[in-house]
C-alpha cells in the first residue's frame, strides 16, 4: 500500500508546508500533461520553433494558476493556523489541496477531446455548453467515448493519489510558533501575489501574454486548461468592452470610418441614438414583396463544396443550385460557431471577441433582425429547427427579436429519424415545406429561418438515404452528404410548389466544421458557400469578396422591401463590381480582409498584416499592419461592441 510521509522540512514550515507541497505536486503534473500534448501535436510544435520556450513559459503560467488556487489557504493561515484551531486548519488544507489538484487533472484530461473539436485548449465554450447536458453528453458518448471514459477514470485515480499524498498532514503537529507564522505571512502573501501577477509590467499576465507563436493551438499549450477556462469566465463580465483589447478610438472617428465605407457612404444617418440606422430602398421594385426563406446549414463550409476548392461528391444538390440563382464564390463567415453565424445572417451584426449577441443579456429584446424588419411589414416570421430551440439560447433571442413562432423538435410529429441533436434534416424540411404551403394558402407573406442540424457530431442520420461516401457511417463527410441530400429533396418540393414564384431562398452555411490551423486566423476555414434562388432570380456568379453581414441588406433589396434598419452590410443587388471586404473573429483574434490583404488585431499586442494567397489558401509574410487597414478593422470591432453595450442596434418603434 502506497504511503507518503510528510518530509521533515515540510513539517518544519508549519502551515506553509502543505501549501508548498500542493504546489510541488501540481507543477510537475501540469508540465507532464503539457509534454504529452506537445508530443501528440509535435508537428505543430516543431513548426512553431518554440519547443523550449513553450515549457519554460508553461511553468510560469502554471505558477499563476496554482498560486491562485492557494490564495484561500494563504488567507486562512492567520485565522486558523494556531494551536486552538489547528485540527480544523489541517482538515481544510487537505480537503482544499485534494480538490484543487483533482480540478487541475480533470481539466487536463478533458483537453484532448476539446482540442480535437476546436483545435485549442478548453475555453469559455467548455462552460457555456454545460447548460446543455443532453446534447453534450450525447456528443461525447457517440464521438469521444474513449476520452470520456478515460477522463473519468484518470480523474478518479488522480483524486485517490492526491489524497494519499496529503492525508498524512492530518497527523502533523504545529512546529512553527504563532509569532513566526504571522511574521512570515506577509512574505508569503507577497510571493503568491508576485506569482499571480507574473510580471512587473503595467498589466498582469493573461493568456495573451503567453502567445509566443502564430499558431493559436501551440499558444494554448503554453497555458493550462484550468486557467484558460477561469480567465474566460472572468472575462464574461467585461464583454461589453471586449473589443477594447485591440485599442481605443473616439466615437467620432469610429463612425466616420464605418459610415465612409462604400456600402454606407450614400445613406443618411439622422438618429443619434442609433448611429447606423438608415433608410434602405430596394433595387427590385415589386408590387408585392417576396416571401423569404433562409436555410442555415450547420457546419457546411467550402471544405465540402467541390467548385469552391473542397472535396468532390458530397454536396451535388447544393452545387446544382448554382445554375438557378446567385452563387457566391467568395463568401466568408464571421466566426466559428452557429450563434455567430446566426447573428451575422439574421441580424447583419459584426463579430466581436465577446460571445455572440444571441447569448448576451442586452440583446434579448429590441435587437434588430430581419424578423423584426419584416414583422413590422406584416410578415409572419418563424424559426424552424429539428432540435430543441432553447439550445444556445436561440429561443430567447428569436422570440425577443421579431420571430412570432418557434417550430422545433416538439412540433415535428412522428419524425422518421431522431438523433442526439433532434429530428433529421429530412424531417425538418418536410415540416418547413408543410408550413410554407399553409402560409401561402392563407395569403400571408412569410419569413422562415430553417436551421439544419444533421451535420453535427456525432453525425447521426437515417439509413438508406445516401450511398455512403466512406466507412464507417458516422463521419463528417457522410453527414454532409446526407444534409445535402435532404436539402435537395426540399428544393424538389419547393420548385413544384405554389409558393416558389413568390419566395426568395437563401442557402448559406453558419460556419465551416472544425475551424483550425496554425495561422493566427485560418482564413480558408471561414470560406463558406451561399446561393440565392427562387422567384425571378437569374443565374449569376458573385465573385466579389462578401461577408455574411452583407446578406441581410441584399435580401431586403431583392425582395422589394423598403425599410429602416441599422445593418451595415453591403447591398449586393445594388453593386457587385467594387471590391468587398470580410471580417472574421477567431477566438481572440479579429481579421479584416480587403484587396487580398488580411489585417489581424490581437489582444494587447500590435496588429499584423499578411497577404492572403487565394490559390494556396494561406496567409503569407506577416508584417506590421498598414495604419489605414488597422483603423478600419478597429473601428468596426469597436462599433459592434459599443452598440451592444449602449443598446443602439435597434429599430425605433
Amino acid at each position: 500500500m502506497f504511503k507518503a510521509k510528510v518530509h521533515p522540512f515540510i513539517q518544519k514550515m508549519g502551515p506553509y508546508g502543505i501549501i508548498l507541497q500542493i504546489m510541488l505536486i501540481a507543477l510537475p503534473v501540469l508540465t507532464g500533461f503539457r509534454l504529452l500534448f506537445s508530443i501528440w501535436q509535435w508537428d505543430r510544435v516543431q513548426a512553431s520553433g518554440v519547443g523550449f520556450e513553450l515549457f519554460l513559459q508553461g511553468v510560469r503560467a502554471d505558477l499563476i494558476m496554482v498560486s491562485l488556487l492557494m490564495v484561500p489557504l494563504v488567507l486562512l493561515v492567520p485565522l486558523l493556523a494556531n494551536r486552538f484551531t489547528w485540527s480544523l486548519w489541517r482538515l481544510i488544507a487537505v480537503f482544499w489541496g485534494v480538490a484543487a489538484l483533482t480540478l487541475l487533472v480533470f481539466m487536463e484530461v478533458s483537453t484532448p477531446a476539446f482540442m480535437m473539436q476546436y483545435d485549442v485548449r478548453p475555453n469559455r465554450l467548455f462552460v457555456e455548453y454545460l447548460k446543455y447536458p443532453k446534447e453534450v453528453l450525447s456528443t461525447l458518448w457517440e464521438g469521444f467515448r474513449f476520452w470520456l471514459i478515460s477522463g473519468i477514470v484518470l480523474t478518479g485515480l488522480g483524486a485517490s493519489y492526491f489524497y494519499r499524498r496529503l492525508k498524512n498532514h492530518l497527523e502533523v503537529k504545529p512546529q512553527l510558533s504563532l509569532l513566526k507564522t504571522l511574521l512570515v505571512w506577509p512574505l508569503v502573501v507577497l510571493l503568491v501575489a508576485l506569482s499571480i501577477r507574473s510580471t512587473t509590467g503595467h498589466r498582469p499576465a493573461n493568456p495573451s501574454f503567453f502567445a509566443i507563436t502564430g499558431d493559436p493551438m501551440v499558444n494554448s499549450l503554453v497555458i493550462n486548461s484550468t486557467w484558460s477556462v477561469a480567465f474566460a469566465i472572468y472575462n464574461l463580465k467585461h464583454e461589453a468592452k471586449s473589443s477594447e483589447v485591440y485599442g481605443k478610438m473616439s466615437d467620432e472617428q469610429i463612425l466616420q470610418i464605418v459610415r465612409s465605407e462604400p456600402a454606407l457612404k450614400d445613406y443618411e444617418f439622422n438618429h443619434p441614438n442609433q448611429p447606423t440606422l438608415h433608410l434602405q430602398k430596394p433595387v427590385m421594385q415589386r408590387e408585392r414583396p417576396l416571401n423569404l426563406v433562409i436555410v442555415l446549414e450547420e457546419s457546411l463550409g467550402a471544405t465540402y463544396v467541390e467548385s469552391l476548392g473542397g472535396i468532390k461528391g458530397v454536396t451535388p444538390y447544393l452545387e446544382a443550385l448554382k445554375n438557378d440563382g446567385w452563387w457566391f464564390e467568395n463568401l466568408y463567415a464571421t466566426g466559428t460557431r452557429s450563434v455567430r453565424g446566426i447573428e451575422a445572417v439574421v441580424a447583419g451584426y459584426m463579430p466581436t471577441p465577446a460571445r455572440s449577441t444571441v447569448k448576451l443579456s442586452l440583446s434579448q429584446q429590441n435587437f434588430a433582425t430581419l424578423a423584426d424588419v419584416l414583422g413590422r411589414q406584416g410578415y409572419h416570421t418563424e424559426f424552424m429547427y429539428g432540435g430543441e430551440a432553447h439550445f444556445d439560447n436561440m429561443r430567447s433571442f428569436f422570440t425577443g427579436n421579431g420571430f412570432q413562432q418557434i417550430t422545433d423538435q416538439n412540433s415535428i410529429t412522428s419524425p422518421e429519424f431522431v438523433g442526439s441533436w433532434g429530428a433529421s434534416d429530412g424531417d425538418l424540411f418536410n415540416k418547413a415545406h408543410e408550413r410554407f404551403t399553409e402560409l401561402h394558402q392563407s395569403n400571408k407573406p412569410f419569413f422562415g429561418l430553417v436551421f439544419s442540424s444533421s451535420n453535427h457530431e456525432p453525425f447521426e442520420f437515417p439509413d438508406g438515404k445516401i450511398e455512403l461516401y466512406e466507412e464507417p457511417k458516422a463521419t463528417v463527410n457522410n453527414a454532409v452528404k446526407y444534409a445535402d441530400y435532404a436539402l435537395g429533396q426540399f428544393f424538389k418540393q419547393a420548385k413544384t410548389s405554389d409558393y416558389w414564384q413568390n419566395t426568395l431562398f437563401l442557402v448559406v452555411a453558419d460556419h465551416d466544421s472544425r475551424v483550425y490551423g496554425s495561422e493566427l486566423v485560418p482564413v480558408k476555414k471561414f470560406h463558406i458557400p451561399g446561393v440565392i434562388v427562387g422567384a425571378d432570380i437569374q443565374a449569376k456568379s458573385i465573385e466579389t469578396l462578401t461577408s455574411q453581414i452583407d446578406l441581410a441588406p441584399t435580401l431586403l433589396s431583392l425582395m422589394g422591401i423598403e425599410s429602416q434598419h441599422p445593418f451595415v452590410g453591403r447591398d449586393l443587388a445594388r453593386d457587385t463590381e467594387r471590391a468587398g471586404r470580410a471580417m472574421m473573429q477567431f477566438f481572440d483574434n479579429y481579421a479584416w480582409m480587403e484587396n487580398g490583404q488580411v489585417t489581424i488585431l490581437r489582444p494587447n499586442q500590435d496588429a499584423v498584416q499578411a497577404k492572403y494567397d487565394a490559390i494556396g489558401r494561406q496567409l503569407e509574410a506577416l508584417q506590421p499592419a498598414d495604419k489605414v487597414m488597422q483603423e478600419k478593422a478597429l473601428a468596426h470591432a469597436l462599433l459592434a461592441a459599443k452598440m451592444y453595450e449602449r443598446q443602439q442596434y435597434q429599430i425605433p418603434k
Side-chain angles (χ1 to χ4, degrees):
M1 176 68 73
F2 175 83
K3 185 175 182 180
K5 295 183 178 180
V6 179
H7 193 279
F9 175 74
I10 296 291
Q11 293 189 47
K12 290 179 181 179
M13 294 182 68
Y16 305 112
I18 189 170
I19 294 174
L20 177 61
Q21 184 167 6
I22 293 169
M23 296 181 74
L24 291 176
I25 294 172
L27 293 175
V29 167
L30 293 174
T31 299
F33 276 108
R34 184 174 292 108
L35 176 61
L36 291 174
F37 298 153
S38 297
I39 294 172
W40 173 37
Q41 299 288 345
W42 180 244
D43 289 344
R44 301 269 290 274
V45 173
Q46 186 179 42
S48 71
V50 295
F52 177 75
E53 189 178 2
L54 185 154
F55 287 93
L56 186 64
Q57 295 294 337
V59 172
R60 185 178 175 184
D62 293 342
L63 270 172
I64 295 174
M65 188 65 242
V66 176
S67 297
L68 280 167
L69 289 172
M70 293 302 99
V71 166
L73 293 185
V74 172
L75 294 179
L76 286 175
V77 166
L79 300 175
L80 299 180
N82 58 73
R83 62 190 180 91
F84 301 106
T85 55
W86 184 257
S87 296
L88 179 59
W89 158 258
R90 293 181 307 191
L91 185 63
I92 291 174
V94 170
F95 171 80
W96 185 261
V98 173
L101 291 168
T102 302
L103 172 65
L104 294 174
V105 168
F106 169 76
M107 292 306 303
E108 295 302 304
V109 299
S110 301
T111 297
F114 193 92
M115 285 183 65
M116 285 189 287
Q117 186 72 5
Y118 303 110
D119 204 44
V120 291
R121 280 186 183 269
N123 51 28
R124 69 182 179 203
L125 292 175
F126 187 87
V127 178
E128 288 179 19
Y129 286 154
L130 291 180
K131 294 185 293 185
Y132 312 106
K134 173 180 173 292
E135 291 85 350
V136 171
L137 288 175
S138 295
T139 299
L140 288 174
W141 185 251
E142 295 298 332
F144 301 94
R145 190 174 305 174
F146 169 79
W147 294 106
L148 178 62
I149 296 173
S150 299
I152 293 171
V153 171
L154 287 173
T155 302
L157 292 174
S160 175
Y161 171 75
F162 299 138
Y163 175 71
R164 286 181 288 156
R165 285 291 303 268
L166 298 178
K167 69 177 182 178
N168 283 348
H169 280 274
L170 295 172
E171 310 298 329
V172 171
K173 306 297 182 183
Q175 295 192 22
L176 197 65
S177 69
L178 179 60
L179 178 61
K180 290 182 178 179
T181 297
L182 295 177
L183 288 175
V184 172
W185 187 74
L187 177 60
V188 174
V189 170
L190 177 62
L191 290 174
V192 170
L194 290 174
S195 293
I196 293 171
R197 206 173 195 284
S198 195
T199 176
T200 58
H202 179 65
R203 298 172 182 267
N206 58 55
S208 67
F209 186 86
F210 297 94
I212 58 177
T213 176
D215 188 335
M217 187 279 294
V218 176
N219 286 335
S220 77
L221 291 182
V222 179
I223 61 177
N224 56 77
S225 296
T226 307
W227 190 33
S228 177
V229 172
F231 190 80
I233 294 172
Y234 169 79
N235 268 348
L236 292 180
K237 67 179 182 179
H238 301 296
E239 285 189 324
K241 300 182 184 297
S242 61
S243 294
E244 291 189 2
V245 296
Y246 301 138
K248 295 185 178 181
M249 184 179 286
S250 69
D251 288 358
E252 293 75 16
Q253 188 178 7
I254 290 172
L255 292 177
Q256 188 277 323
I257 291 173
V258 173
R259 289 172 176 174
S260 64
E261 282 291 292
L264 298 178
K265 69 174 185 172
D266 295 329
Y267 292 116
E268 293 183 1
F269 303 92
N270 301 317
H271 301 267
N273 293 326
Q274 283 85 36
T276 62
L277 188 72
H278 61 277
L279 177 67
Q280 180 191 1
K281 295 186 176 182
V283 169
M284 301 294 289
Q285 302 294 325
R286 300 182 184 277
E287 182 176 342
R288 175 177 174 172
L290 299 176
N291 305 315
L292 175 63
V293 172
I294 295 178
V295 177
L296 195 63
E297 286 285 344
E298 170 70 49
S299 304
L300 192 66
T303 304
Y304 306 102
V305 182
E306 182 182 3
S307 62
L308 297 179
I311 63 176
K312 181 179 180 180
V314 294
T315 56
Y317 292 99
L318 172 63
E319 296 192 66
L321 293 176
K322 182 176 183 178
N323 302 318
D324 297 332
W326 287 20
W327 177 261
F328 292 92
E329 297 283 354
N330 289 292
L331 174 62
Y332 284 80
T334 60
T336 64
R337 311 306 311 150
S338 295
V339 285
R340 186 69 78 192
I342 288 171
E343 74 174 1
V345 174
V346 179
Y349 201 68
M350 299 173 289
T352 72
R355 291 181 297 169
S356 163
T357 50
V358 175
K359 294 188 173 186
L360 297 180
S361 59
L362 297 181
S363 49
Q364 297 307 299
Q365 288 183 322
N366 303 319
F367 194 80
T369 66
L370 280 170
D372 187 10
V373 171
L374 296 175
R376 293 166 187 257
Q377 305 215 18
Y379 278 65
H380 171 82
T381 56
E382 187 168 344
F383 171 58
M384 306 176 190
Y385 181 54
E388 296 178 346
H390 72 272
F391 183 76
D392 263 352
N393 204 53
M394 292 186 295
R395 179 183 290 274
S396 174
F397 179 80
F398 288 140
T399 55
N401 294 308
F403 283 87
Q404 301 154 12
Q405 184 170 336
I406 303 294
T407 298
D408 66 0
Q409 181 178 349
N410 297 324
S411 306
I412 301 175
T413 56
S414 303
E416 179 183 12
F417 179 86
V418 177
S420 301
W421 291 89
S424 70
D425 285 2
D427 293 303
L428 171 65
F429 283 126
N430 286 336
K431 182 65 177 180
H433 175 66
E434 175 188 314
R435 290 291 299 134
F436 300 150
T437 300
E438 292 172 357
L439 290 166
H440 175 77
Q441 291 173 349
S442 67
N443 203 35
K444 179 78 169 177
F446 60 83
F447 164 40
L449 172 63
V450 185
F451 185 22
S452 75
S453 61
S454 289
N455 181 30
H456 196 299
E457 213 147 11
F459 307 125
E460 300 166 303
F461 55 90
D463 293 326
K465 300 297 183 182
I466 62 168
E467 181 180 346
L468 295 181
Y469 180 83
E470 60 194 3
E471 293 288 351
K473 177 188 173 186
T475 69
V476 63
N477 291 330
N478 287 329
V480 169
K481 190 172 182 181
Y482 169 73
D484 179 72
Y485 163 82
L487 178 72
Q489 299 309 299
F490 168 67
F491 273 101
K492 284 182 180 179
Q493 291 179 306
K495 286 179 178 180
T496 59
S497 71
D498 292 334
Y499 61 80
W500 175 261
Q501 290 300 327
N502 299 320
T503 304
L504 189 69
F505 297 80
L506 166 68
V507 181
V508 64
D510 55 357
H511 57 85
D512 201 344
S513 65
R514 291 202 65 211
V515 180
Y516 61 91
S518 60
E519 299 166 321
L520 287 174
V521 177
V523 173
K524 67 180 180 181
K525 295 294 287 183
F526 284 78
H527 191 193
I528 58 173
V531 61
I532 296 174
V533 297
D536 55 359
I537 301 300
Q538 301 299 309
K540 180 179 179 180
S541 180
I542 309 297
E543 297 182 358
T544 185
L545 182 60
T546 308
S547 171
Q548 279 176 323
I549 71 167
D550 299 328
L551 297 174
T554 301
L555 292 171
L556 291 172
S557 190
L558 292 174
M559 292 168 67
I561 297 289
E562 179 177 310
S563 63
Q564 273 196 329
H565 60 70
F567 306 154
V568 299
R570 177 185 182 189
D571 178 3
L572 290 163
R574 190 171 301 278
D575 170 34
T576 59
E577 299 303 316
R578 284 181 293 191
R581 50 82 194 97
M583 54 203 74
M584 294 157 269
Q585 189 74 46
F586 183 62
F587 297 110
D588 291 332
N589 294 336
Y590 180 99
W592 177 274
M593 182 161 66
E594 183 177 355
N595 294 322
Q597 296 291 324
V598 180
T599 301
I600 302 173
L601 305 181
R602 303 178 295 173
N604 305 312
Q605 298 181 72
D606 293 335
V608 293
Q609 190 164 315
K611 179 182 179 182
Y612 182 62
D613 177 10
I615 298 177
R617 305 182 74 193
Q618 62 183 3
L619 293 177
E620 296 180 345
L622 284 176
Q623 58 190 3
D626 173 80
K627 183 180 179 181
V628 173
M629 289 298 102
Q630 181 179 349
E631 289 181 345
K632 277 190 180 184
L634 180 59
H636 285 80
L638 288 173
L639 180 61
K642 288 178 182 290
M643 285 196 296
Y644 165 77
E645 177 188 1
R646 300 168 183 173
Q647 295 182 277
Q648 294 178 326
Y649 200 74
Q650 300 180 353
I651 304 172
K653 294 183 179 179

